[in-house]
Amino acid sequence: MTAVDTGNNESVGEGSRREHELLLLCARATADDATAQAIRRLAGEGLDFEYLFRLAHRHLVLPLLYHQLNRAAQDVVPSAFLDKLKKMFRDNAARNIYHAAELGDIIRAFDAHGVEAVPFKGPTLALTAYGSLSLRRFIDLDILVRRGDVRRAKDVLLSKGYELHPALTAAQERVLLREQHALQFVGGGGLLIVELHWSVVPRGF
């Protein structure tokens, strides 16, 4: 097998095929018996677990990696590695629950001000795709509103303590509304990012 570039200054050769195979098997919410057995077999073959961690981190599937290894191979995976994954899994789950609760508050506030809104990606995708908030990694809340409701939605977010990031002049905001697809707000002491969308992609797409 010819070495390939992973895009982060690492070369992947023959010895890494098992880590890739294991990650692909773990990157799912549910695993049948055959898949679980394959996960267990690969996990017990003396893998490069540090490389596996970096690979899962790069592809944002650490929660799924822990979920499947803990279910199928917890007694064959190095305990220090599994403990590391467990801590990150729990931290991610707590963070996601916090984000989901905030999303609910925002949607209710929008509704109270007559702004129809549709959340997407983030907690919504976690529940739709995986059936659990804890199995997906996300960093912000994406909410879609009508273009005509953007200013009202912005006022609601500002009233909840969010700040537009970066700050824009009125002229810049008009250009953004015409040419782009979202405004970004930061709140919760920098812990929360909300992207207010009036389109899914910029006008150029």
Side-chain angles (χ1 to χ4, degrees):
M1 178 180 177
T2 303
V4 296
D5 185 3
T6 64
N8 56 354
N9 298 321
E10 296 179 49
S11 290
V12 181
E14 187 74 28
S16 298
R17 289 192 305 176
R18 292 173 303 171
E19 288 84 3
H20 288 212
E21 183 180 354
L22 178 58
L23 187 61
L24 287 170
L25 289 171
C26 290
R28 64 195 71 208
T30 59
D32 58 24
D33 289 343
T35 302
Q37 289 172 13
I39 290 171
R40 181 179 178 81
R41 173 182 58 78
L42 283 166
E45 289 186 354
L47 304 180
D48 182 343
F49 284 99
E50 181 57 33
Y51 175 76
L52 178 63
F53 178 88
R54 294 198 305 271
L55 192 65
H57 185 270
R58 180 186 174 209
H59 292 287
L60 304 179
V61 292
L62 281 171
L64 291 172
L65 178 63
Y66 171 73
H67 176 65
Q68 294 299 345
L69 288 180
N70 187 56
R71 291 178 55 147
Q74 61 175 287
D75 58 333
V76 298
V77 173
S79 58
F81 177 74
L82 200 63
D83 287 345
K84 181 180 180 180
L85 289 182
K86 182 178 182 178
K87 182 182 185 308
M88 297 193 75
F89 180 88
R90 288 182 169 178
D91 289 348
N92 183 67
R95 183 179 173 281
N96 287 1
I97 291 169
Y98 172 57
H99 275 70
E102 179 65 13
L103 178 62
D105 286 344
I106 292 171
I107 296 300
R108 284 189 290 272
F110 281 171
D111 186 60
H113 288 82
V115 177
E116 289 187 279
V118 178
F120 67 110
K121 300 196 290 184
T124 305
L125 182 56
L127 290 171
T128 302
Y130 300 141
S132 171
L133 285 173
S134 64
L135 294 181
R136 184 171 187 265
R137 172 76 173 155
F138 53 85
I139 61 172
D140 57 17
L141 299 173
D142 295 273
I143 305 173
L144 183 66
V145 301
R146 291 187 172 91
R147 188 184 299 267
D149 286 338
V150 169
R151 287 189 171 85
R152 261 193 302 169
K154 172 190 169 184
D155 289 342
V156 171
L157 289 172
L158 293 177
S159 73
K160 289 178 62 61
Y162 283 87
E163 297 179 355
L164 191 60
H165 183 78
L168 301 171
T169 65
Q172 289 172 329
E173 192 172 315
R174 285 194 297 271
V175 172
L176 200 86
L177 282 167
R178 185 176 68 247
E179 301 294 338
Q180 291 296 318
H181 67 298
L183 289 170
Q184 182 172 282
F185 297 82
V186 176
L191 297 177
L192 291 162
I193 299 173
V194 173
E195 287 201 347
L196 184 67
H197 295 253
W198 53 92
S199 179
V200 177
V201 295
R203 184 177 178 182
F205 284 83

